[in-house]
Amino acid sequence: MGVAGCGKSSLGAAVAQAQGLPLIEGDDHHSPASREKMRQGIALTDADREGWLATLGQLLQNHPQGAVLTCSALKKAYRDRLRAACPGVRFAFLEIDRAHAGERVAARVNTHFFSTTLVDSQFATLQSPVGEPGVLRLDALLSIPALQAQVSAWLAVKEPTP
């Protein structure tokens, strides 16, 4: 989880492969209307995210043996929705600064629907999950192999279910 440009998709793919788990790419499940809003540089509202979060929760439930989900999960309320849908879900938080996130989003402008103008709104919306149960804080500027190793080591340690 984290803001746009933090590396969710790249790390998610690496973790899914290393763990032998299916990958659920959260961006693939936005509605066409939400995708168009983001393409136009219009930030999504909680209402826009309602159906998306419900879909992601259902997709997690469809994989009782586990899955890797890439999802911004910027607000505690969004993470709590996912926790309610899938008790025991854990969050790897890719923490990145505004400048690096902006550079990364700008670098993929021709291959991704997300507008560079939305990076500031991502940071404004972000409620840090640090301190919440089942959260691992990661430095998003580290290499994907280093991050994947940290996540895999963390996942190997079973946490108590709520």
Side-chain angles (χ1 to χ4, degrees):
M1 66 148 289
V3 298
C6 71
K8 295 181 294 291
S9 295
S10 298
L11 179 58
V15 170
Q17 181 176 9
Q19 298 295 312
L21 293 171
L23 175 65
I24 302 167
E25 175 59 61
D27 282 345
D28 292 346
H29 300 282
H30 280 294
S31 70
S34 289
R35 284 174 165 267
E36 186 55 30
K37 282 180 81 169
M38 289 184 280
R39 188 175 287 111
Q40 293 177 17
I42 302 168
L44 298 183
T45 65
D46 288 350
D48 292 327
R49 289 186 177 97
E50 184 68 28
W52 178 66
L53 289 166
T55 297
L56 297 181
Q58 184 61 57
L59 289 168
L60 287 173
Q61 290 174 355
N62 292 347
H63 296 283
Q65 300 307 312
V68 175
L69 167 66
T70 63
C71 170
S72 55
L74 296 176
K75 290 185 178 181
K76 184 177 185 305
Y78 305 161
R79 294 186 293 275
D80 287 346
R81 284 279 310 271
L82 295 171
R83 287 179 176 115
C86 185
V89 69
R90 296 161 82 177
F91 295 89
F93 171 46
L94 284 158
E95 193 168 53
I96 192 169
D97 62 84
R98 165 65 183 88
H100 284 99
E103 288 172 10
R104 289 179 175 187
V105 171
R108 66 180 194 196
V109 72
N110 294 322
T111 60
H112 197 277
F113 62 84
F114 196 85
S115 171
T116 56
T117 62
L118 290 174
V119 174
D120 286 336
S121 75
Q122 292 263 294
F123 280 90
T125 302
L126 177 64
Q127 297 170 346
S128 175
V130 174
E132 293 176 15
V135 172
L136 174 66
R137 184 210 160 271
L138 298 164
D139 179 348
L141 300 183
L142 295 176
S143 71
I144 294 300
L147 291 166
Q148 179 272 308
Q150 289 180 24
V151 173
S152 290
W154 176 62
L155 291 174
V157 176
K158 300 297 179 200
E159 293 195 350
T161 54

